[in-house]
């Protein structure tokens, strides 16, 4: 939006804007991302929607393949309807490079979750924010999540619980500014995910397939742990070393499952995704 | 029905009818409602059916946009099959303006839930009556519902439990007359919903998307609370102030989810909805 | 089968067969049933399959509209694939009128459940035998089912538990002969349904829509009761008088839901059902 | 792969390879399997995927109808996408007869589960390895599975729990070599299935329909047992003799259900399966 006004105002006004309101300027694009990355981001939205883990709230992003200081995420919309043309590029302050004429209110309010985590965790290449129902009871009771099986072995590395009240008191619980995003990222630390009390969770990973898989199995693990707890017998723990050996694997099996998940959601939809070469105009 | 007979009988009989049986006369229509409202009412029926929250029992209504003393609701039928042509206009005594030739038995017996709530709650613009399975255990045990996360923050304002036996003794439990509807509306008070012992719940809101969202998240919250309760650890409460801040938001995110819900149920059905400009003849 | 051989053998052999092996003769048909009844029986099969309550095991029957000593049921097959041409007519000893060339092994072994109940309960017009998963824990623990809400009010009339071991000792648990069917019918008594330990349930009703509705809500009630029991608070009972008033209703609302259920399963299938006028040749 | 290189290298090199690296040679094919067996194997993959019991992890195999020392299984891929052209032939050391140009990494790492079980159990004709969610809590708590109803009567014969740590210490928990496969097969013994701590289960049977049915009902039984346990009343056990009588039946009813399961998954998919006459080239 701002960049469009700048474009129309010309170079003289541009200087004034730069001097007086540095934060109002739009960040520069890193250039068109890899079409395969966009295709996978569209698929990630639909796969998580298909699993009941994203709807019109919650979102998934991926770091730009050409610039670690940019990330890609859909405009504010229902995840099951996302196409390549809905992807927006952001800098790590979560400012859009170009909203293609959409008002700022058409973007996800909580995009700071993504930007602040990418800033603090250079190893993270993809982020999911979900309201997965099965995770809510664990965030509310603070009963620690434990890895129930090898698909969710990463839970052995610890899943902290973040509470907006601890540092920000009474809020509407949304991560609606950089400070809250920063606090959340600090709570996440070097863990693979963080639960959010009365809200949901944020999950990170080294790739889109990994973060999607982690989100699905984190949510499933919560159900299985809850089921196991009610059986009244002690749960045999996975060894931390087992978890490390599992996580060190190449993700070969995950690639097969990712292919299956993607096949299902892409063939079910009439609208093609991934045909566009980048962050085209949202529609 | 009655209005048709009046029409055929002519002005002289009309006077006699007015004098002798004022309640038998049909109320006057407030005129064609906004087609967008009808489209959303059709969508609300199908979305709630798609979520397993309405079938051939249970119903959703909306206040007429031209007259606060009229409301709109489908004829008695399965919610997933409702089209624009099935919508009937009622006054707040729940008398139909025009049944288009259908017998009174073709209307929902429990329509008094809607009329009596609209009378007592001018702020309410839409009402859902549901038999959502997950709510039944809470109505039967009277375990208070608590807000498990921000999607169901409105629960912090209190969800009372209504029991037909308290004032009306042995009944078939249906809200089949104005008195029972009035009792239910009194039990609801200024809360966002009321559970009904051994029956279900009635939910209210300032718009169709809000009341549909509240119904979906009320039912989901019941499942999550039940899951959390069995984990044996105390549940961290949401602060009332947090709930107020969440409810004060504009519902921007809900609009996105509403779009996704609507897209799903309207594209799945072959019969177009919302094409009609109002309360056409039921078929 | 036998009747076909008789037909070819002629009257002399016929007499010999009658004298020496009365049970081997085929019963006489009551004539073509009402096509609407066949259509509803096909729908009942598919509705119960759609609800996960019937598969290749379990079955639904209806008493013949022309003769209370005959009933109609599909040949042994998966319920979701049943068409009008698969319906077979049986007498109350559960002997087929005409198997249309199918071997006896192509019929349901447990058809005696139906015949023996129809003998003992003249009020019963339709019977379902199901392995509904949610009912299994109640049959195994013998925890009494209680009516959780008005949809399942009939549970207030009592749901006994039948155990094959009580009179027949070690068996494969199937109701594979008239004696076991008779024992089950005695256990059912004048109740609306009977649980079968380690097996499932048999449900009866005055019509196909009623028995289908009872089966669906019996299974749902089990889940809701189990959920309520784990909440640790006492469950408020429905009064027996309330249950009687609910059951005395005409089932007007059920007709609407039945229409919705039927619409869904009949429009989803490519194979037309109910077009045939009766018990055509199975295919 | 190796066989292709041999093919190109010619007879002289062939001898050298045989002498120096006997294990590197490809086993000889037993010839084209029965097309019906391939069709059922494709169906088994899709049925288990449709029940949520297989995805890109987990697999199902069947012994070759022409040679008990060969078995058939899909290449490494998502079960819902398997077609006849994806089936590979293996010897009992789990070496592929012909990978059709695929690298060894394109095969399931855990294929040793199948080969080692076929070696030790001549009665077993089909094997499933699944991560069925409902089984995980039982493997983790070691609460013994008990047969809840006749569909899962085989559980009465005992379901042991295998733990990779018992003999192999810290691993990534995969059965990625013959030794681990052998250990698992020993733990299975003569039982119908074995749970795997923190991993899933392996199920065996005398045919594809039987092993698929056992997998589905083993997983369902876990849910039902967990539900029954929380009801706080003792569970009535099935007698071992009842279980033996049930298991001794011909599986006539299972054939009907198998037909229904197969009809559903084969008609839903656009890609034909079973048209190929054997182990064609994977694509």
């Amino acid at each position: 939006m701002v960049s469009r006004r700048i474009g129309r105002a010309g170079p003289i006004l541009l200087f004034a804007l730069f001097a007086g309101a540095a934060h109002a300027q739009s960040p520069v694009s890193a250039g068109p991302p890899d079409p395969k990355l966009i295709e996978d981001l569209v698929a990630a939205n639909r796969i998580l929607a298909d699993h009941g883990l994203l709807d019109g709230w919650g979102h998934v992003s991926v770091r730009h393949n050409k610039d670690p200081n940019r990330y890609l995420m859909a405009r504010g919309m229902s995840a099951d309807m996302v196409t390549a043309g809905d992807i927006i590029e952001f800098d790590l302050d979560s400012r859009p490079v170009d909203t293609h004429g959409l008002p700022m209110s058409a973007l996800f309010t909580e995009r700071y979750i993504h930007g602040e985590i990418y800033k603090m965790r250079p190893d993270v290449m993809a982020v999911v924010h979900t309201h997965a129902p099965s995770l809510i009871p664990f965030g509310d009771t603070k009963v620690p999540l434990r890895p129930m099986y090898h698909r969710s072995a990463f839970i052995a590395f610890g899943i902290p619980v973040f509470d907006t009240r601890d540092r920000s008191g009474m809020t509407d619980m949304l991560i609606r500014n950089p400070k809250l995003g920063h606090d959340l990222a600090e709570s996440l630390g070097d863990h693979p995910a963080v639960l959010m009390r009365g809200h949901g969770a944020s999950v990170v990973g080294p790739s889109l397939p990994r973060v999607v898989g982690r989100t699905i199995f984190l949510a499933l693990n919560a159900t299985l742990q809850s089921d196991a707890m009610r059986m009244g017998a002690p749960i045999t723990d996975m060894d931390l070393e087992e978890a490390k050996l599992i996580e060190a694997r190449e993700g070969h099996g995950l690639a097969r499952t990712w292919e299956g998940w993607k096949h299902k959601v892409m063939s079910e939809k009439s609208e093609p995704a991934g045909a566009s070469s980048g962050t085209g105009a949202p529609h």
Side-chain angles (χ1 to χ4, degrees), chain A:
Chain A
M1 281 226 75
V2 172
S3 68
R4 283 176 172 258
R5 280 197 283 116
I6 291 171
R8 284 197 290 271
I12 294 170
L13 181 56
L14 189 70
F15 176 81
L17 276 165
F18 265 49
H23 280 287
Q25 85 194 72
S26 287
V28 177
S29 172
D34 181 357
K36 176 66 166 53
L37 198 67
I38 297 292
E39 183 187 308
D40 275 1
L41 182 54
V42 169
N45 271 280
R46 296 185 185 184
I47 290 166
L48 289 167
D50 186 55
H51 280 78
L53 300 172
L54 286 188
D55 47 26
W57 296 283
H59 13 86
V60 50
S61 72
V62 68
R63 211 185 277 265
H64 198 301
N65 62 295
K66 287 184 180 161
D67 184 349
N69 293 311
R70 295 286 180 278
Y71 70 90
L72 306 162
M73 189 164 75
R75 65 178 176 92
M77 64 184 297
S78 268
D80 62 331
M81 298 170 70
V82 169
T83 64
D86 298 306
I87 305 301
I88 307 266
E89 181 183 349
F90 297 89
D91 72 1
L92 299 196
D93 289 328
S94 296
R95 297 178 306 164
V97 165
D98 184 354
T99 66
H100 301 277
L102 292 172
M104 290 298 282
S105 61
L107 306 180
F108 285 116
T109 305
E110 296 192 294
R111 58 192 180 275
Y112 305 101
I113 293 171
H114 302 259
E116 299 304 316
I117 288 175
Y118 286 124
K119 275 184 194 169
M120 213 175 293
R121 286 281 298 272
D123 62 308
V124 165
M125 300 306 287
V127 176
V128 168
H129 172 53
T130 177
H131 304 142
S134 65
L135 296 174
I136 303 300
F138 284 85
D140 284 3
T141 60
K142 299 194 170 61
V143 168
L145 280 165
R146 296 161 62 179
M148 298 299 290
Y149 74 144
H150 61 355
R151 291 280 76 83
S152 46
F154 62 92
I155 294 174
F157 306 149
I159 310 293
V161 182
F162 173 74
D163 193 328
T164 42
R165 285 183 299 208
D166 289 348
R167 295 201 214 170
S168 298
M170 293 301 112
T171 67
D172 68 359
M173 300 181 70
L174 294 194
I175 309 301
R176 54 167 67 256
N177 59 51
K179 184 203 174 300
L180 281 160
H182 180 82
D183 288 353
L184 176 68
E186 279 198 344
S187 176
L188 170 67
D190 59 357
H191 298 101
V194 57
L195 299 190
M196 300 157 79
R197 188 267 313 166
H199 186 154
S202 294
V203 187
V204 301
S207 70
L208 277 169
R210 288 291 286 280
V211 81
V212 167
R214 281 181 174 178
T215 305
I216 290 170
F217 292 110
L218 186 71
L220 180 55
N221 192 92
T223 300
L224 300 184
Q225 182 174 339
S226 176
D227 285 348
M229 284 170 67
R230 78 180 178 198
M231 292 173 64
I235 300 172
T236 306
D237 266 313
M238 178 178 292
D239 278 278
L240 183 58
E241 189 174 341
E242 287 180 316
K244 283 179 182 168
L245 288 166
I246 292 166
E247 283 294 301
R249 291 192 315 229
E250 275 295 286
H252 177 61
L254 175 58
R256 296 190 305 257
T257 299
W258 175 256
E259 184 188 13
W261 287 337
K262 198 168 159 181
H263 174 76
K264 184 182 175 210
V265 296
M266 300 311 261
S267 57
E268 273 178 354
K269 303 284 178 178
S270 54
E271 299 156 318
S276 159
S277 66
T279 57
H283 49 81

